[in-house]
Amino acid sequence: LSELYTEIVAEAQFVATEQSIMRNLVRNYQITGGGKAVEVPIYSAISAAAVAEATDLSNTAVDPSSATITASEVGVMTTLTDLARNSAPRNVAADIGRLFGEGIAKKQDQDLIALFDGFSTTLGDGTTAISAASVFNALSTLRANSLPINECAVVLHPKIAYDLKANLTNTFANANANDLANEALRQGFVGRLAGMPVFETANMANTGTAGDYKGGAFHRDAIALAEMQGLKVETQRDASLRADEIVATSVYGVGEIHDSYGVEMHFDSSIQ
């Protein structure tokens, strides 16, 4: 199985990295040195003040709070029979690696996106469609906390992003409105709006109402991913079954770090 195993691992790791949107938008930590949790310090803003000449400075206490992120295991397994492997017209190793990589990446994104619901600041109530003004509103909240735009991002469900594109392009009718509208019409995605990249992902759970999704606008320090073990693939031979068990696992945890660094964007899609 050495050649098959090597190809599965390579494909799975590549796909897991490429398919995950969220891990590159949030703060990443590694859990090392034993234990399955990491404690992330949360510092309050420090203010400076004017000081008179020959006057001693008063002490400013730096006493951070902390957020603990605990890792848990996720995994997927399949059984590949000898007959299936030898008779398959496709590259079985690449197919299994791709599926495993997609599965781990999807689960990771879903866990991180679920944290949007914990942000105290919310735009929308799940009854109206999103607009460009909504994104600028979210930006104003983030900038009010002195957060740099280049470390902020917006993540929306494709059904919600549809209304944003419709709003930008005058319902797909005005092709010469502006460069951003033209790009949305040509390429089918928004790109950068209000200085923030806008990402679309289907790895977002419906709230229970058709077309109702909770996206987010956030700084990368709003939420974090703590990884104890990256994607790992192992195989085990079952001789009596004439097959190999192929298992992919990952050990990580997610958590909210700075609540004020994120804005929940709760909107309803005009299409179902």
Side-chain angles (χ1 to χ4, degrees):
L1 256 194
S2 59
E3 292 182 4
L4 178 68
Y5 174 75
T6 301
E7 194 164 351
I8 290 174
V9 172
E11 185 71 14
Q13 290 178 338
F14 171 78
V15 173
T17 301
E18 292 297 310
Q19 292 292 324
S20 177
I21 290 176
M22 289 296 297
R23 70 174 297 137
N24 295 320
L25 300 179
V26 303
R27 187 64 63 189
N28 283 247
Y29 296 94
Q30 290 295 321
I31 301 177
T32 59
K36 59 178 183 178
V38 61
E39 192 169 349
V40 181
I42 303 174
Y43 293 93
S44 300
I46 298 296
S47 299
V51 181
E53 184 179 357
T55 300
D56 197 8
L57 288 168
S58 59
N59 182 64
T60 299
V62 178
D63 185 17
S65 58
S66 64
T68 300
I69 302 177
T70 303
S72 60
E73 196 172 27
V74 300
V76 59
M77 185 194 84
T78 191
T79 301
L80 178 63
T81 65
D82 295 345
L83 182 61
R85 183 177 72 245
N86 296 331
S87 62
R90 294 175 51 84
N91 186 335
V92 179
D95 287 348
I96 292 176
R98 176 178 55 80
L99 291 171
F100 279 10
E102 288 176 349
I104 296 294
K106 181 177 181 179
K107 174 60 176 170
Q108 201 170 80
D109 271 6
Q110 288 174 334
D111 290 343
L112 287 165
I113 288 170
L115 296 177
F116 293 164
D117 192 36
F119 291 149
S120 298
T121 304
T122 301
L123 290 179
D125 58 3
T127 62
T128 58
I130 195 173
S131 66
S134 306
V135 179
F136 279 91
N137 192 342
L139 172 66
S140 70
T141 300
L142 299 177
R143 292 293 292 137
N145 286 310
S146 302
L147 299 174
I149 299 177
N150 63 342
E151 293 188 354
C152 296
V154 178
V155 175
L156 303 171
H157 190 276
K159 294 286 187 180
I160 302 299
Y162 166 87
D163 288 309
L164 181 58
K165 297 169 193 173
N167 178 250
L168 286 170
T169 61
N170 192 21
T171 318
F172 311 107
N174 189 356
N176 298 308
N178 52 61
D179 289 341
L180 186 60
N182 289 339
E183 191 67 15
L185 285 167
R186 284 193 298 264
Q187 304 294 340
F189 63 89
V190 176
R192 188 177 290 272
L193 180 61
M196 299 184 292
V198 179
F199 295 91
E200 299 177 38
T201 177
N203 296 336
M204 190 175 292
N206 187 277
T207 63
T209 303
D212 193 341
Y213 297 93
K214 294 183 178 181
F218 56 96
H219 183 269
R220 68 168 53 253
D221 285 336
I223 53 182
L225 168 71
E227 196 168 60
M228 183 177 176
Q229 171 206 298
L231 190 148
K232 181 174 72 174
V233 179
E234 296 179 287
T235 62
Q236 178 174 292
R237 181 67 181 171
D238 188 336
S240 63
L241 188 61
R242 291 92 60 211
D244 294 282
E245 291 181 352
I246 305 171
V247 178
T249 58
S250 182
V251 184
Y252 65 87
V254 301
E256 180 184 288
I257 305 301
H258 290 277
D259 180 69
S260 61
Y261 286 14
V263 178
E264 177 189 301
M265 305 189 74
H266 186 192
F267 293 97
D268 184 53
S269 175
S270 63
I271 58 174
Q272 305 301 324

